[in-house]
């Protein structure tokens, strides 16, 4: 049995006093309550530093863990029962972990009270969804009006080699030397490396306000515990709002080697940038990795060229084995973003002008029926094909690491995808290469496909 600790703590950070109704919602263990969601996300935060991508295994290991919100006259306290002891030093919770735990509580309460149960935002429309994402970020303090552009979104796999991980640190280091901050999905691997590198560079440059922003959603945060470098955490209610938050707060995006989750993010991003209304808008995108990752990006590039066309290639650069070159190219690209937004009188902290089609905003539930009915053919606008391919990869991610997806696969077998013959061949070649390169699961674990191609 793992070593645990039980204690009562006070939240850290800007968490506001909760009403009795809010406390009751968090304590509610019924199907409509928030307790199970809070418990899963809280355990992931407390498990910070233990690398895993199997949220169900963590829940089973700490099956007797619980968290309870206690309301007192002076505010609230959190009662933790059988929490992972690695979150504590000499009986006191590590301050950064306590801050992240408070962020989880803040966002779960805010999203439920202000987004999901109120009619303040019409989430069936693009405008309503974009405004909801803005308000969640603002509530979390993630929008910084006084800062010049310099927030770089870093995407990539949690299951990467040591060489690839060290490369992400080198890139982060050179970004940090050039006064750029890091925003990631807050997990391990390619999300942790850039933050560690930038953290060292910021210390050398005596930059005391470095940002290491993690944006996640409940299913991912429960599967991948946040890395300890994160100093700002925002929990979005679903993956579509998380991805929209990335592209609206970031000023440029770097993609490191990954697997299906990374491919999903690439398709989401390019599908948006290829929309006719977004042509001419500067948005630097760089694919990069060490020399050993050249074949990975070659296969990604070939797949994108076939499915989305040559125009897609114009929206990204591939820079191999050159951390300094990546940082310089990103700095130049972000300078172009700053000039464009000044000329258009746009905000630096949130990209309102970017047009995101409804196909990229509507939540996708990756069940067997939905996966089988995806339109995977080229007789549709390119940004719509990108949206459907993104959904296919989203379903594979769910089947790989998210507890509901894992249970659905166990109950009904693998998801089935239908596509036109040549597209199917391209898709099969790409997914097969991910498996061969060990990019589907953490090292040391055998991968059993959660999908089949028909």
């Amino acid at each position: 049995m793992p070593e645990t600790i039980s204690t009562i703590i006070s939240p850290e950070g800007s968490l506001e006093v909760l009403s009795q109704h809010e406390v009751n919602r968090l304590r509610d263990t019924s199907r409509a309550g928030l307790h199970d969601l809070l418990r899963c996300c809280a355990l992931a935060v407390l498990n910070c530093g233990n690398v895993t991508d199997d949220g169900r295994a963590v829940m089973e290991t700490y099956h007797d863990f619980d968290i309870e919100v206690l309301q007192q006259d002076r505010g609230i306290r959190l009662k933790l029962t059988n929490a992972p002891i690695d979150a504590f030093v000499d009986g006191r919770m590590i301050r950064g972990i306590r801050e992240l735990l408070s962020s989880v509580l803040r966002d779960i309460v805010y999203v439920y009270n202000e987004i999901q149960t109120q009619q303040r935002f019409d989430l069936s429309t693009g405008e309503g969804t974009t405004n909801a994402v803005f308000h969640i970020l603002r509530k979390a303090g993630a929008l910084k009006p006084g800062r010049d552009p310099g927030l770089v979104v870093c995407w990539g796999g949690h299951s990467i080699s040591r060489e690839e991980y060290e490369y992400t640190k080198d890139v982060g280091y050179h970004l940090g030397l050039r006064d750029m901050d890091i925003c990631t999905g807050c997990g391990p691997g390619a999300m942790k490396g850039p933050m560690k590198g930038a953290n060292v560079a910021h210390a050398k440059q005596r930059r005391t306000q470095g940002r290491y922003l993690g944006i996640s959603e409940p299913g991912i945060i429960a599967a991948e515990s946040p890395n300890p470098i994160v100093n700002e955490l925002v929990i979005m209610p679903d993956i579509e709002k998380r991805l929209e938050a990335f592209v609206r707060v970031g000023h440029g995006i770097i993609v490191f080697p990954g697997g299906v989750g990374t491919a999903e993010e690439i398709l989401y991003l390019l599908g948006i940038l290829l929309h006719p209304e977004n042509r001419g808008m500067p948005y630097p995108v760089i694919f990069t990795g060490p020399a050993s990752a050249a074949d990975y990006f070659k296969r990604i590039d070939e797949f994108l060229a076939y499915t989305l066309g040559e125009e897609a290639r114009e929206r990204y650069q591939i820079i191999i084995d050159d951390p300094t070159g990546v940082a310089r190219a990103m700095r130049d690209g972000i300078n172009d973003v700053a000039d464009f937004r000044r000329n258009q009188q746009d905000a630096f902290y949130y990209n309102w002008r970017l047009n995101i089609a409804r196909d990229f905003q509507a939540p996708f539930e990756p069940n067997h029926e939905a996966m089988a009915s995806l339109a995977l053919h080229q007789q549709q606008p390119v940004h719509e094909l990108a949206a459907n391919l993104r959904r296919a990869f989203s379903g594979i991610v769910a089947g790989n690491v998210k507890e509901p997806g894992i249970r659905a696969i166990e109950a009904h077998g693998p998801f089935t995808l239908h596509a036109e013959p040549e597209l199917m061949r391209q898709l099969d070649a790409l997914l097969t290469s991910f498996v061969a390169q060990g990019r589907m699961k953490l090292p040391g674990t055998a991968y059993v496909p959660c999908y089949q191609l028909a």
Side-chain angles (χ1 to χ4, degrees):
M1 291 294 294
E3 194 172 358
T4 61
I5 187 171
S6 298
T7 187
I8 296 176
I9 67 166
S10 298
E12 183 76 24
S14 60
L15 184 68
E16 295 180 356
V17 174
L18 301 181
S19 69
Q20 185 64 56
H21 174 72
E22 290 168 330
V23 172
N24 289 338
R25 291 295 306 174
L26 287 168
R27 297 176 66 180
D28 185 2
T29 56
S30 70
R31 185 169 181 173
L34 300 175
H35 176 265
D36 288 346
L37 178 63
L38 174 62
R39 178 173 174 267
C40 291
C41 293
L43 180 57
V45 169
L46 294 168
N47 197 50
C48 184
N50 296 321
V51 179
T52 181
D53 67 348
D54 191 339
R56 186 174 63 171
V58 174
M59 293 301 297
E60 290 174 350
T61 299
Y62 296 97
H63 61 90
D64 54 355
F65 166 74
D66 200 12
I67 180 170
E68 184 178 357
V69 181
L70 306 177
Q71 187 174 38
Q72 300 181 345
D73 291 340
R74 293 175 294 175
I76 65 168
R77 304 193 78 187
L78 302 177
K79 180 181 178 181
L80 305 177
T81 303
N82 299 319
I85 200 166
D86 289 345
F88 298 80
V89 176
D90 298 333
R92 294 177 62 88
M93 184 177 289
I94 297 170
R95 181 170 180 176
I97 293 179
R98 187 162 55 146
E99 290 177 353
L100 297 183
L101 187 62
S102 300
S103 297
V104 166
L105 180 61
R106 174 203 65 215
D107 291 341
I108 287 176
V109 171
Y110 181 76
V111 167
Y112 178 81
N113 285 326
E114 301 297 331
I115 307 297
Q116 295 178 330
T117 61
Q118 301 294 326
Q119 296 183 350
R120 182 180 179 187
F121 304 101
D122 184 356
L123 299 181
S124 66
T125 67
E127 181 181 1
T129 299
T130 296
N131 274 292
V133 171
F134 173 85
H135 280 267
I136 295 170
L137 290 166
R138 188 175 68 175
K139 178 68 175 180
L143 303 178
K144 309 291 184 182
R147 291 200 177 214
D148 288 335
L151 187 62
V152 181
V153 174
C154 293
W155 286 340
H158 56 272
S159 179
I160 59 175
S161 68
R162 187 70 194 184
E163 179 186 12
E164 291 172 350
Y165 174 70
E166 292 297 331
Y167 183 83
T168 69
K169 284 171 56 178
D170 289 343
V171 171
Y173 175 77
H174 287 283
L175 293 172
L177 290 178
R178 291 163 176 80
D179 292 328
M180 286 178 275
D181 296 307
I182 307 296
C183 174
T184 77
C186 81
M191 292 163 278
K192 180 179 179 181
M195 287 188 173
K196 291 193 72 173
N199 185 262
V200 173
H202 289 161
K204 285 189 174 183
Q205 293 283 29
R206 303 298 187 263
R207 194 166 187 264
T208 58
Q209 300 298 318
R211 299 188 67 193
Y212 317 104
L213 171 62
I215 302 177
S216 193
E217 43 103 4
I220 293 294
I221 202 76
E224 299 175 0
S225 298
N227 77 70
I229 310 299
V230 173
N231 64 1
E232 300 176 52
L233 175 64
V234 183
I235 306 296
M236 288 288 163
D238 53 59
I239 191 169
E240 287 78 15
K241 294 180 182 62
R242 176 175 69 94
L243 291 172
E244 179 164 352
F246 278 130
V247 299
R248 291 204 186 274
V249 301
H251 303 111
I253 293 181
I254 293 176
V255 181
F256 294 104
V260 286
T262 305
E264 174 189 2
E265 292 164 339
I266 290 172
L267 288 162
Y268 176 90
L269 175 62
L270 292 180
I272 289 172
L273 296 181
L274 290 172
H275 192 284
E277 293 188 23
N278 294 326
R279 289 194 181 119
M281 182 182 297
Y283 204 116
V285 179
I286 300 173
F287 299 170
T288 189
S292 60
D295 186 61
Y296 169 79
F297 285 113
K298 179 176 181 292
R299 290 184 177 274
I300 289 282
D301 183 57
E302 291 171 348
F303 181 77
L304 294 174
Y306 175 79
T307 55
L308 305 185
E310 289 297 323
E311 185 182 356
R313 280 178 161 164
E314 298 175 4
R315 297 302 315 222
Y316 59 84
Q317 302 178 62
I318 299 177
I319 302 176
I320 299 298
D321 205 26
D322 187 2
T324 302
V326 170
R328 287 174 176 164
M330 182 54 64
R331 181 74 270 176
D332 290 343
I334 288 179
N335 289 342
D336 290 340
V337 170
D339 291 341
F340 178 83
R341 295 199 189 179
R342 285 191 186 97
N343 291 336
Q344 300 295 326
Q345 296 184 329
D346 288 342
F348 286 159
Y349 55 86
Y350 195 75
N351 191 345
W352 290 103
R353 183 177 291 269
L354 193 69
N355 182 286
I356 299 181
R358 187 61 190 157
D359 282 347
F360 293 95
Q361 291 183 319
F364 174 67
E365 183 65 33
N367 54 46
H368 284 73
E369 181 181 359
M371 290 286 282
S373 64
L374 288 173
L376 303 180
H377 57 77
Q378 293 186 304
Q379 286 71 53
Q380 58 187 316
V382 65
H383 62 275
E384 292 182 12
L385 175 58
N388 284 318
L389 286 169
R390 198 283 298 178
R391 291 173 178 137
F393 286 126
S394 180
I396 296 174
V397 171
N400 280 350
V401 302
K402 295 184 181 180
E403 185 175 1
I406 293 172
R407 294 193 184 280
I409 298 298
E410 289 178 347
H412 305 292
F415 295 130
T416 299
L417 294 172
H418 301 273
E420 59 189 20
E422 180 57 23
L423 194 154
M424 182 70 74
R425 190 187 72 79
Q426 296 280 345
L427 183 59
D428 184 48
L430 183 65
L431 293 173
T432 299
S433 73
F434 289 165
V435 175
Q437 295 172 21
R439 299 187 183 279
M440 290 296 205
K441 296 287 282 185
L442 288 175
T445 60
Y447 179 65
V448 178
C450 66
Y451 64 92
Q452 59 186 6
L453 305 177

